[in-house]
Amino acid sequence: LPVQSAITQPRPGATVPAGELTVKGYAWSGGGRAVVRVDVSLDGGRTWQVARLMPGERPAPGRAWAWVLWELQAPVA
């Protein structure tokens, strides 16, 4: 499966102040493949930013059956 991801912060419909925004979520893949990168768009897909994968134990190749947390710090107008 391609990498699937969900945003958990900010919540849907939340109002956020201008400045630095922290976006958090989780991602998973299929077939025992590890998530190695998460790209996030805050403008409907016009531009993309690479999120930081949260530190944690990395499984052996072919053994990645769980999700990984990610985080992005981004400026918002």
Side-chain angles (χ1 to χ4, degrees), residues 5-75:
S5 182
I7 294 173
T8 59
Q9 182 183 333
R11 306 294 284 170
T15 302
V16 296
E20 193 78 4
L21 174 66
T22 300
V23 182
K24 294 182 179 184
Y26 59 91
W28 68 96
S29 187
R33 294 183 180 95
V35 174
V36 296
R37 178 176 161 163
V38 173
D39 295 327
V40 179
S41 176
L42 301 177
D43 58 10
R46 288 190 304 258
T47 61
W48 295 85
Q49 300 175 58
V50 178
R52 179 174 70 92
L53 300 182
M54 303 308 288
E57 184 177 326
R58 297 289 182 221
R63 301 282 185 197
W65 300 107
W67 40 265
V68 63
L69 299 175
W70 57 264
E71 179 176 287
L72 174 72
Q73 298 288 326

